[in-house]
Amino acid sequence: MPEFKKGALEVLRQPLEDGTVSISRSLVTLSYPADFMLVAAMNPCPCGYLTDERHTCTCAPNVIQNYRGRISGPLLDRIDLQVEVPAVPYSDLKATRGTTDSATMRQRIARTREVQRLRYAALPIHTNAELTGSALEKHCHLGEAEHAFLGSAVKNLGLSARAYTRILRIARTIADLSESPNLTAAHLAEAINYRSMDRAQHV
Ligand SMILES: [Zn+2]
């Protein structure tokens, strides 16, 4: 991802937020639908070895900072799931224990999509990702303890209001995957865990 020019990355912000893209020319501005899923990858540093225990990173701290700085805070804010993927040791390359096969995963996802389809049947939305305003409050309702938990996490990690909303939607999906009607602290903690790059900036 950091190999793209910063300007090219920054224009992703509007479609990521609104699902539309506006193109302005001298006389007219046109809006087009641009609802898409962004899947992107980057190395932890330019040499790629910063988090790899088997190699030594050769990047100077300012080089790492510049590299990571190419992904701006506002862009990062709009990425729901940020997951660090460690290098796989040779002994694990062929291991299949503890993994879920694609067919089982597909079934779980289809079931979870169906839960959302039924829940939002009376609304002009289909998924948790589209929840806003009163619908967000209703379907991502938090008990007092869960509210306090999320509040302190957002404060301690310096997360934005946008990140807060996105954490609620992701927690709703995690709860749906485990067929839980209520959002618990465990669902919230898992959703917060998926913001590893926002968190890294504040640790
Ligand atoms: Zn490095």
Side-chain angles (χ1 to χ4, degrees):
M1 198 177 191
E3 305 302 327
F4 286 89
K5 287 206 170 84
K6 200 159 183 176
L9 292 172
E10 288 304 303
V11 293
L12 290 171
R13 280 160 54 178
Q14 188 204 0
L16 278 174
E17 191 70 10
D18 308 328
T20 60
V21 64
S22 300
I23 297 173
S24 297
R25 290 291 177 265
S26 56
L27 293 174
V28 289
T29 299
L30 293 171
S31 284
Y32 292 100
D35 193 0
F36 66 102
M37 183 182 286
L38 173 71
V39 181
M42 67 185 286
N43 281 319
C45 64
C47 86
Y49 289 141
L50 183 65
T51 55
D52 190 335
E53 287 173 5
R54 301 162 307 166
H55 294 91
T56 307
C57 168
T58 55
C59 308
N62 65 318
V63 173
I64 296 172
Q65 209 172 7
N66 280 343
Y67 179 78
R68 294 193 168 202
R70 290 185 213 165
I71 315 297
S72 73
L75 178 58
L76 210 48
D77 231 15
R78 290 164 170 82
I79 299 177
D80 286 338
L81 306 174
Q82 304 156 11
V83 182
E84 194 178 328
V85 188
V88 182
Y90 181 74
S91 56
D92 287 356
L93 279 177
K94 290 189 90 173
T96 53
R97 203 155 39 98
T99 59
T100 307
D101 65 73
S102 296
T104 308
M105 187 62 84
R106 188 177 192 283
Q107 273 178 2
R108 270 185 84 192
I109 292 168
R111 200 166 57 230
T112 306
R113 288 296 287 243
E114 182 62 11
V115 167
Q116 293 171 63
R117 196 184 66 78
L118 294 174
R119 185 191 297 135
Y120 305 132
L123 297 172
I125 63 169
H126 308 288
T127 60
N128 296 330
E130 299 164 277
L131 280 172
T132 54
S134 58
L136 178 80
E137 260 174 51
K138 181 180 170 195
H139 297 293
C140 299
H141 178 77
L142 299 181
E144 212 167 295
E146 289 75 22
H147 226 294
F149 173 77
L150 182 56
S152 72
V154 165
K155 187 162 168 259
N156 293 338
L157 301 170
L159 298 174
S160 68
R162 183 174 286 111
Y164 171 87
T165 302
R166 286 173 177 266
I167 286 167
L168 282 178
R169 294 173 184 153
I170 294 293
R172 181 66 267 166
T173 298
I174 294 166
D176 289 343
L177 279 165
S178 54
E179 298 175 47
S180 163
N182 297 322
L183 292 192
T184 66
H187 301 138
L188 294 168
E190 187 178 341
I192 292 165
N193 211 33
Y194 291 132
R195 302 204 68 89
S196 63
M197 292 192 59
D198 293 35
R199 289 190 287 120
Q201 290 186 340
H202 296 279
V203 170

